[in-house]
Amino acid sequence: MAKRHKIKIKTPHEIGRMRAAGETASMILLDLVKAVEPGRTTLEIDQLAKELMKQRDCKSAFLGYRGFRGQICISVNDEIVHGIGGPRKIQPGDVVKLDVGVVKSGWIGDNAITVAVGAIPEETRRLLIATEESLFAAINHARSGERLSDLCGAVEEYVKPLGFTVVREFVGHGVGRDLHEEPQVPNYRPQGKSPILQPGMILAIEPMVNAGSPGIRILDDGWTVITTDGKPSAHFEHTVLVTDGDPELLTWRPRGVPGL
């Protein structure tokens, strides 16, 4: 019989540490958003992340993880997730995904956002707005007594009627001392029995939504995930605490898509 993995319930002390890590991750992400501009390379933004982490007394949760070579994940246009900073220059009309995970005092904060660089096509604008809205549709289910499956299903159920598709191969996750803890948090309704959410659970909820086909391909670097049809993708993420009341965003930031 397969072993069932238990979802960790954080203590009040641990939640306090997670709040600090989440706030730090959010502040670094927002500082990086300001640096996303035409002519700047993705490597320059990655190196800026390194400096910002040093200033805030934390380190990258991604660097070295299974051999990952970046401080953050930075993915452009048809790159979905796990892009590595390099010589590519950001251009007007790009959409740039920034995924920042930090370790502060042994605890992890994880969040992501998609930035519009100047004028972008209307379909892409709709994609970015829909992806962020699907994130909040899911977060609304991060409540004690709700089923995880309802949270997961909310993402696809929001974006599918708008003509968009969710990536199925990569998912959100529990988070705490480890970057990836139980449970997995897919962006579609999973089959089978689903856990009931309880106060103290902390989830990294992260819709990855494509403008076209849900198909993906991984580049030769072994990391960068792209759409098979070359259409753009969007990615938004928050670290969320389940409480007895409303969900708490541990990576709180002002709502809205930067650049729109």
Side-chain angles (χ1 to χ4, degrees):
M1 182 178 293
K3 181 180 178 181
R4 294 189 65 184
H5 297 281
K6 190 173 181 180
I7 301 171
K8 295 178 181 177
I9 305 293
K10 273 66 175 183
T11 67
H13 172 75
E14 291 169 340
I15 290 168
R17 293 294 184 94
M18 289 291 289
R19 283 194 182 102
E23 180 181 19
T24 300
S26 176
M27 289 189 292
I28 291 171
L29 181 65
L30 291 174
D31 283 344
L32 292 175
V33 166
K34 299 171 189 174
V36 176
E37 55 188 15
R40 185 161 291 196
T41 69
T42 57
L43 180 59
E44 287 173 335
I45 294 173
D46 188 78
Q47 290 303 298
L48 175 59
K50 180 180 180 179
E51 291 303 314
L52 292 171
M53 290 176 193
K54 183 177 179 180
Q55 291 171 19
R56 296 190 182 277
D57 194 28
C58 63
K59 64 180 182 179
S60 171
F62 302 160
L63 181 66
Y65 181 80
R66 297 182 179 175
F68 188 75
R69 301 188 302 277
Q71 299 287 334
I72 64 170
C73 299
I74 180 165
S75 311
V76 183
N77 297 337
D78 63 334
E79 297 172 353
I80 301 168
V81 285
H82 301 163
I84 302 170
R88 180 175 186 165
K89 289 187 177 181
I90 294 169
Q91 305 293 332
D94 283 346
V95 290
V96 179
K97 283 131 280 185
L98 302 171
D99 188 353
V100 174
V102 304
V103 183
K104 187 173 180 66
S105 301
W107 296 88
I108 291 172
D110 192 5
N111 59 168
I113 201 166
T114 303
V115 182
V117 184
I120 60 174
E122 174 61 19
E123 182 187 31
T124 307
R125 187 188 73 84
R126 288 180 53 247
L127 171 70
L128 269 55
I129 292 171
T131 305
E132 189 193 36
E133 288 300 311
S134 75
L135 170 60
F136 283 96
I139 289 171
N140 190 49
H141 289 279
R143 300 173 185 274
S144 178
E146 293 231 24
R147 288 204 177 270
L148 178 65
S149 57
D150 291 326
L151 183 156
C152 298
V155 174
E156 185 171 46
E157 288 158 16
Y158 187 91
V159 302
K160 188 175 181 179
L162 300 174
F164 304 128
T165 60
V166 300
V167 172
R168 300 178 79 87
E169 291 85 352
F170 298 92
V171 300
H173 47 90
V175 64
R177 280 196 176 276
D178 296 319
L179 179 58
H180 294 121
E181 297 183 352
E182 290 295 321
Q184 290 195 350
V185 185
N187 294 305
Y188 56 88
R189 188 177 296 276
Q191 299 297 313
K193 188 175 181 181
S194 179
I196 295 175
L197 300 179
Q198 300 177 44
M201 292 180 176
I202 298 180
L203 308 173
I205 305 171
E206 50 177 324
M208 290 157 269
V209 181
N210 293 350
S213 162
I216 66 126
R217 182 166 67 87
I218 299 175
L219 296 185
D220 290 343
D221 63 13
W223 283 101
T224 306
V225 183
I226 66 169
T227 60
T228 52
D229 59 10
K231 290 189 175 182
S233 184
H235 180 208
F236 288 80
E237 177 184 22
H238 272 302
T239 298
V240 182
L241 169 67
V242 178
T243 74
D244 283 319
D246 292 336
E248 181 181 340
L249 303 185
L250 301 185
T251 48
W252 186 90
R253 61 177 178 263
R255 193 164 171 172
V257 180
L260 294 187

